[in-house]
Amino acid sequence: MTLRERRLREQAQRHRLILTTAREMAEAEGWDYVTTRRLADRIEYSQPVLYQHFKNKDAIVHAVALEGFAELAAALRAARLGTPEPRAALDAVARAYVDFAERGPVLYQAMLTLDPGGDDAPEDASGDAPAPLAEVLAEIGLAVAPVAAGRDGELLAEVLWSAWHGLAALTGGRRLRPGLTGRRLTALTEVLLGPAAQPA
């Protein structure tokens, strides 16, 4: 292994350690607790070393959020591919989405609640959503397409995502009666994918 290869590997290991530690700290104490100073102390690197990887805390949160979207896309893909019947596959994707938010509320907060702002905003330089975020919507779209019945599948995917996010947020905030998540997801799908409303 060359010196350059070794340095690149060490840099990648430091990058991974920073993100992993930030997630662990946030899961234990919340994102407000995570500061660059506390993070540097925890990983036993100086703040200048940390700033070689991320320019500030918002950049770290943004990187964690992108990881979260990639993980969510993988979970949705597994749910979709693991269920051959189209309607059941959509139900499985819906459940996987809400389960993901429930299992990792701090990660989910970084993904959809916290706003990195500034140069770390969710859009890339072209104005498009970053790839992991686009993959989530693509997975939802792939689950919706077989049951869209000629309607705008992309629009239905966006509406379903919005509804799932609202359900996940309200459930996580204990604003809804417990134990009814599955029934709510079924009701959402029935309302949005049922027969299109006819004009009066």
Side-chain angles (χ1 to χ4, degrees):
M1 178 181 296
T2 66
L3 179 60
R4 182 176 182 275
E5 289 172 336
R6 185 178 299 110
R7 286 177 176 169
L8 287 173
R9 186 176 69 174
E10 290 172 354
Q11 184 179 29
Q13 289 172 339
R14 283 196 303 269
H15 187 94
R16 164 67 19 228
L17 178 62
I18 291 167
L19 293 182
T20 300
T21 305
R23 285 176 68 163
E24 290 171 353
M25 291 171 65
E27 287 167 3
E29 302 287 345
W31 282 109
D32 288 342
Y33 176 78
V34 181
T35 65
T36 55
R37 181 180 297 278
R38 286 179 178 141
L39 188 53
D41 289 345
R42 179 72 65 89
I43 61 178
E44 298 181 345
Y45 288 139
S46 67
Q47 283 184 284
V49 170
L50 192 148
Y51 291 136
Q52 290 175 9
H53 295 267
F54 300 99
K55 67 180 182 179
N56 54 33
K57 173 187 170 178
D58 287 343
I60 295 170
V61 174
H62 182 58
V64 168
L66 291 181
E67 285 190 343
F69 280 118
E71 292 169 18
L72 175 57
L76 300 184
R77 186 177 307 114
R80 178 176 60 83
L81 295 177
T83 312
E85 196 278 316
R87 176 58 188 270
L90 179 59
D91 291 341
V93 168
R95 187 76 228 195
Y97 185 97
V98 174
D99 286 348
F100 180 92
E102 184 178 333
R103 283 194 313 271
V106 171
L107 176 59
Y108 191 72
Q109 181 187 31
M111 292 162 60
L112 296 173
T113 304
L114 296 181
D115 179 10
D119 294 335
D120 301 306
E123 292 186 339
D124 66 17
S126 68
D128 296 327
L133 178 55
E135 287 173 17
V136 169
L137 184 55
E139 284 300 326
I140 297 171
L142 288 169
V144 168
V147 295
R151 284 176 285 172
D152 185 338
E154 186 175 359
L155 179 64
L156 288 174
E158 291 172 345
V159 173
L160 273 173
W161 188 2
S162 301
W164 296 344
H165 170 56
L167 178 58
L170 290 170
T171 301
R174 296 185 175 86
R175 299 297 191 266
L176 300 175
R177 292 174 294 159
L180 298 175
T181 298
R183 290 173 59 187
R184 291 189 184 102
L185 288 171
T186 299
L188 279 172
T189 304
E190 288 174 352
V191 168
L192 292 174
L193 298 183
Q198 299 299 315

